[in-house]
Structure formats: structure tokens, C-alpha cells
Amino acid sequence: MADRCPYLDYRREAGEQTFDTARPYCTAADEFVQPMRADICAGRYGLDHATDCEIYLAHADDREGETGAE
Amino acid sequence: MSYDDYLDAKPVIVTAALTGGVQGKEAHPDLPETPDEIAAAAAACENAGASILHLHARRDSGERAFSTERFQEVTEKVREATENVVIQHSTGGTGAPDALRAEPLRTDPAPEMASLDMGPLNRYDRLTSENTRATVRMLHEEMRERGIKPELEVFNDGHLNESLAIVDELDSPPYFNLIFGSGTLSVPHPRSLQTMVSHLPEGAEFNVLGFGRHQLPLTTMSIVLGGHVRVGLEDNIYYRKGELAESNAQFVERAVRIADELNRPVATPAQAREILGL
């Protein structure tokens, strides 16, 4: 199983959106994640954010120099 | 399955696709995700005239779920909330392993119908729903073993080729869901729909699914061409430009009104079973 994306968080609210239960949230895109994309974020089924997510790849350079950045 | 069927006022089957696997409450706050929410939407759609319910399952977080256990929970709630509607489980699952894709077929009782994606399609920039022939064959074989009628999901012309190649293996009548949208889907245009329909084998039944703003015109055209219609929040969250739909049932109500205006009665669940040979 691939690692979970470092940009993935689970939140009940962001901006004007609130939910009864915590949902996947992308801290790179600053928005809640579609369910299908969330499987990439969570590293399920062999999906890997480092190869399968264009949002992660677009922001990966921003993480260079951070401890543990890929 | 022709204009003659329209002229003969053949009943039109309305399928409601309630939830889907791509979007969730982040896109529409009332998209049903929990078993209770899906059951309530199912009852409202049956009351509005839907005779088939296309079901997906979700985790509590809104993320996709494929397990038999979660589908069992959903289908039991839906059966409790509805009278006589036909239950159709999705076997779609971009990125999910084949073994999981088959799990929705294993509820007790089995669904009367299940979707069968007939080939590959792209998702986002880097994801492909592969749906290899081996995967299609595996899912179809399990459907046959469990007495489940497949709805052939034809996302583009190539998938129609794939479907026609196995049509002799299908119980009569084969049921095609012709799908129109962006990317690797069939070009969403009336000409595309007419062309697809012209290639269907004699005796087949077809359903039309148009994503987003294409839902209304192409499903209406299907009614005139003797086909059936699928509507719901899985495929389209807007009732009209800039206006979110109130509910799945709102789409069903509109489809029923249009069918009525076009002089095709809406099929009861019993009529849907008769038309599809369930």
C-alpha cells in the first residue's frame, strides 16, 4: 500500500462547507476531495499520489526542503 | 427499440442513479451517501416514477465503498424503503482491484441487475478505469452464475464493439446503456446518439445517460427513439444552468413529465421487468 498523501487531511468544515462527518480534504488544493480521487490520496488499491495525482505533482516542488518531503 | 416503439407508446423505463462513485457532498450537499440517505432518495424516486435504482455505496466519510457488507447494508435499507423497484448494483470502480469490483454482486438476495463497464476510460489526468476484457468476462460470468442481468455500460463507440462481440452470450434482450459526455466518452451530440442506436442489434433495449447539461436533451431524444432514460445526481447535479438540483426525485419527476408529454407511459417496475426479461 502506498503512503498516504502528505496533503491529505480529514475535516468536517472548510470555508462555507460543513459536514456531519470528517471528509477527505486536500491541503494543496484547499478543497474537499472527490471520493474517487480520495482513494489516491489515501493510497488505497495500489494508487499512489506520487504518480497518480496531478495536484500532488504540481505542488510537490513546494515541499522540497521540508523534513520528510518526497 | 426504435421510433416505432415511440409511436406505439411503449412504456419508458426510468432509472435513477442516486449516488455514484465520483462526486459526493463536496459537490452537492444533498447527494445521498449514507444507507439511510440512499434509502430515502430511493423511496422518493420510486414514488416519482423510477422503476430501476442504480446503487453505489460509500464509507461514512463519503469515500467509495465496494464491500459486500456495505452494499448489503445499502440494499437492505433501500428494499425496506421501497415497494417493488428493480435494484441495480454498480460494479464500476476506477482504480479498485477486480476482486473488490465483484463484491457488490454478492449481496443476499443478489441484485436483479448490475452495471458492466465494457472497456477503458480515462479519469482525471493520470487515472484510467481499465475494464480489461478479462475483467469484463469475470464480472459477467459471476452475474450469470447469480442470475443478475447486466446493463452494458457503453461509454464510447469502442465499447459498443466490445458489447456486440459478446451479445450472443447475453440473455434476451441485451440492455445497452449509451453514455455521452466529455473525455473518453462518446461525443455528446444527437448525431452520436442516432449513430449508436443504428448499430444496436435487433431486439435490443437501450438506455441513455448524458452527463451534466447533456442529461436533459439526450434522455429526451431517447424517449423519441424508443429508448429508456437514466437520470440522477450521479450523472448531473444541476437542474438547469447555475441551479443545483433539489434532489434525485426532481430529475425523475421531470423525466416522467417529458415522457408523458411525448405520449410514452412510464414503465412500472413490473413492466420494466417484462421489457428487460428479468
Side-chain angles (χ1 to χ4, degrees):
Chain A
M1 181 172 170
D3 291 338
R4 173 175 149 159
C5 177
Y7 292 117
L8 174 63
D9 193 11
Y10 282 83
R11 297 184 181 180
R12 289 183 55 189
E13 58 181 77
E16 296 180 350
Q17 290 184 294
T18 60
F19 302 102
D20 292 338
T21 56
R23 305 176 65 86
Y25 184 87
C26 176
T27 59
D30 282 329
E31 61 185 22
F32 286 98
V33 181
Q34 288 189 334
M36 183 181 291
R37 189 184 287 281
D39 288 328
I40 305 173
C41 311
R44 298 190 186 101
Y45 318 133
L47 299 172
D48 188 340
H49 59 274
T51 54
D52 299 326
C53 180
E54 62 275 15
I55 298 172
Y56 171 82
L57 290 168
H59 289 80
D61 290 346
D62 298 342
R63 296 184 63 84
E64 285 183 2
E66 292 182 22
T67 302
E70 296 171 58
Chain B
M1 191 220 62
S2 68
Y3 184 57
D4 286 340
D5 289 328
Y6 164 73
L7 295 174
D8 293 341
K10 180 177 180 174
V12 58
I13 299 168
V14 177
T15 296
L18 307 177
T19 301
V22 179
Q23 301 184 114
K25 289 188 189 297
E26 79 289 340
H28 190 302
D30 296 321
L31 189 147
E33 293 180 339
T34 69
D36 285 332
E37 290 171 348
I38 293 170
C45 286
E46 183 184 37
N47 289 335
S51 50
I52 299 177
L53 298 176
H54 175 75
L55 302 180
H56 287 248
R58 298 290 185 87
R59 301 166 186 239
D60 291 341
S61 61
E63 293 169 274
R64 299 186 300 173
F66 302 98
S67 70
T68 302
E69 291 74 18
R70 191 60 164 176
F71 266 86
Q72 185 73 37
E73 195 176 349
V74 171
T75 199
E76 284 181 3
K77 293 272 188 182
V78 168
R79 288 171 195 273
E80 287 170 10
T82 56
E83 297 286 334
N84 190 31
V85 76
V86 176
I87 303 289
Q88 180 190 88
H89 288 179
S90 171
T91 64
T94 301
D98 289 354
L100 269 183
R101 299 269 301 271
E103 291 223 7
L105 304 174
R106 297 170 185 163
T107 57
D108 182 17
E112 287 180 85
M113 298 180 72
S115 61
L116 183 60
D117 294 354
M118 294 306 298
L121 63 150
N122 290 337
R123 305 280 198 182
Y124 310 126
D125 279 6
R126 293 172 168 263
L127 210 54
T128 294
S129 187
E130 294 179 342
N131 301 313
T132 65
R133 287 175 181 156
T135 301
V136 173
R137 198 160 46 240
M138 179 275 291
L139 291 170
H140 185 203
E141 183 62 32
E142 183 150 347
M143 289 182 200
R144 277 193 292 205
E145 288 171 1
R146 296 182 61 80
I148 300 167
K149 187 177 185 75
E151 177 183 274
L152 307 177
E153 308 301 326
V154 177
F155 288 89
N156 58 44
D157 289 21
H159 297 178
L160 186 53
N161 272 335
E162 295 289 310
S163 300
L164 296 174
I166 67 165
V167 78
D168 290 341
E169 303 170 22
L170 301 168
D171 289 338
S172 184
Y175 193 41
F176 297 82
N177 187 23
L178 307 178
I179 303 170
F180 300 86
S182 59
T184 37
L185 278 57
S186 289
V187 174
H189 193 281
R191 279 196 301 271
S192 308
L193 174 52
Q194 284 187 289
T195 300
M196 296 283 270
V197 170
S198 73
H199 291 305
L200 296 177
E202 187 71 26
E205 296 286 341
F206 73 93
N207 187 35
V208 168
L209 184 175
F211 280 108
R213 62 183 173 154
H214 304 292
Q215 185 176 80
L216 176 60
L218 295 181
T219 55
T220 300
M221 189 173 165
S222 178
I223 295 172
V224 176
L225 293 175
H228 307 286
V229 304
R230 169 170 145 169
V231 294
L233 290 171
E234 172 172 351
D235 308 328
N236 175 30
I237 59 174
Y238 291 99
Y239 192 72
R240 58 175 63 88
K241 187 173 183 180
E243 179 183 323
L244 285 176
E246 293 174 4
S247 65
N248 280 291
Q250 188 186 26
F251 285 125
V252 175
E253 289 163 0
R254 179 163 68 180
V256 168
R257 280 199 307 274
I258 292 169
D260 184 59
E261 286 290 336
L262 293 171
N263 295 316
R264 277 191 71 186
V266 172
T268 64
Q271 289 172 319
R273 289 184 173 93
E274 184 179 350
I275 292 167
L276 298 178
L278 299 178

